Amino acid sequence: MRIGILIGVIIAGLIGGAARAEELASVNGTPITTETFNKKLAELPPGSKDTINTPEGRREVLDILIARELLYQEAVKHQLEKEKEVQIKMAEARRTVLVEAMMDRLLTPKISGDALKNYYDAHRNEFREVRASHILVEKETEAKSLKTQLASGADFAELARTASKDSRTGPTGGDLGYFTKGRMIPEIAAAAFKMQANQISDPVKSSYGYHIIKVTDLREARRFEELPSAILDEVKRTILQTEIQVLRSANKVTVNSEKLKQVR
């Protein structure tokens, strides 16, 4: 069994709160039960289940749970919870758990049953896809020069290969692939979704530099049943962002923009 999976099991906190059920093991009287074991086993990533679903694999997971309980009890014995750094981490962990619980509380009614499909169908145009390429340079003068060359008939892909500072897309002619608005940096998305196929943008500034963008294809939003998991996740994030915006509007939030500019 891969050590990465085992470490992941520890970090994920598979022991949870042990309910009184049939004991698989105990550590100084603290039980590790079949109920806890099976519940947490079901939460493991699909890729690890085949490995763990053997007598040897299950024993290794149980050994991990035993090790975790031993470490917990030892930490309590040494009163580690009184150490300042530990208290800070415990407070951060508590905050994280509460934030995630609140996100679940907000999101679950919006994505359960037909709710997610209904939301997507009502906002389908927001999930149209564009395929685009870009050339990234540091200075606006460089971008303007590239735009002039392209207007004179230069090949976009070749310029991307020779001039783009984007080491990931440059070698492939600047191709960014298909993306929705939510899966691209805002400046590129804002420009690309206003363009037609084969249209080339003026210089677009972002935190990365200056971009020349070429839209190579436009694709209507897919039917809900055809959505890949990446876009389904994006729909859920969009719903959550809407809920957070409602919270933000209902509460007092201030931002010190000048101080923010000074942060390095």
Side-chain angles (χ1 to χ4, degrees):
M1 186 177 182
R2 290 178 300 171
I3 190 67
I5 294 175
L6 295 178
I7 293 173
V9 170
I10 294 177
I11 294 173
L14 290 182
I15 197 166
R20 282 290 174 184
E22 183 179 353
E23 289 188 12
L24 291 176
S26 69
V27 179
N28 297 320
T30 298
I32 298 172
T33 67
T34 52
E35 182 177 342
T36 298
F37 185 88
N38 288 329
K39 178 182 176 182
K40 299 307 181 180
L41 198 64
E43 296 173 1
L44 291 173
S48 66
K49 287 182 180 178
D50 289 342
T51 306
I52 292 171
N53 195 23
T54 64
E56 296 80 7
R58 288 172 180 265
R59 178 53 191 264
E60 288 197 60
V61 172
L62 181 58
D63 285 343
I64 290 296
L65 302 181
I66 291 170
R68 190 173 185 277
E69 181 61 28
L70 285 167
L71 291 168
Y72 170 76
Q73 292 185 17
E74 198 68 12
V76 172
K77 187 187 300 182
H78 286 80
Q79 298 185 325
L80 296 188
E81 72 273 14
K82 294 184 178 180
E83 295 184 3
K84 184 176 181 180
E85 289 186 5
V86 174
Q87 289 179 345
I88 291 172
K89 290 180 180 179
M90 289 174 65
E92 290 173 349
R94 177 178 181 274
R95 178 179 286 267
T96 297
V97 169
L98 288 173
V99 167
E100 291 177 353
M102 193 66 243
M103 286 195 297
D104 286 343
R105 179 70 60 88
L106 290 172
L107 195 55
T108 298
K110 304 290 184 178
I111 64 174
S112 301
D114 293 330
L116 184 61
K117 181 180 185 301
N118 292 339
Y119 177 90
Y120 177 78
D121 289 342
H123 299 81
R124 191 165 170 173
N125 283 340
E126 298 175 20
F127 298 94
R128 292 182 299 119
E129 292 177 276
V130 161
R131 184 171 189 173
S133 298
H134 82 139
I135 305 172
L136 173 65
V137 292
E138 293 179 1
K139 299 178 181 179
E140 185 177 14
T141 52
E142 295 177 272
K144 288 181 176 179
S145 174
L146 290 170
K147 174 71 173 181
T148 300
Q149 294 176 58
L150 291 165
S152 300
D155 182 72
F156 191 98
E158 186 57 34
L159 281 180
R161 280 189 281 268
T162 58
S164 182
K165 304 299 182 185
D166 186 341
S167 60
R168 183 177 63 86
T169 65
T172 61
D175 185 26
L176 293 164
Y178 284 97
F179 55 87
T180 58
K181 283 185 178 180
R183 288 189 292 140
M184 182 51 62
I185 62 174
E187 295 86 353
I188 290 181
F193 278 89
K194 293 177 183 177
M195 297 164 62
Q196 301 299 316
N198 298 315
Q199 186 177 351
I200 297 174
S201 74
D202 291 325
V204 174
K205 188 178 186 303
S206 78
S207 59
Y208 297 95
Y210 290 86
H211 309 259
I212 297 294
I213 303 162
K214 180 180 180 179
V215 168
T216 55
D217 194 20
L218 298 157
R219 188 157 72 184
E220 289 303 312
R222 309 182 207 191
R223 294 173 58 248
F224 181 81
E225 293 75 14
E226 300 170 343
L227 293 180
S229 58
I231 296 183
L232 278 173
D233 288 343
E234 183 185 341
V235 177
K236 294 174 185 178
R237 284 195 300 271
T238 301
I239 295 171
L240 181 59
Q241 287 166 1
T242 301
E243 293 298 311
I244 291 173
Q245 190 57 49
V246 171
L247 285 175
R248 186 165 181 148
S249 299
N251 290 273
K252 183 179 179 180
V253 178
T254 61
V255 176
N256 189 329
S257 299
E258 291 306 312
K259 283 289 184 183
L260 181 61
K261 292 176 183 177
Q262 298 170 17
V263 174
R264 291 291 184 267

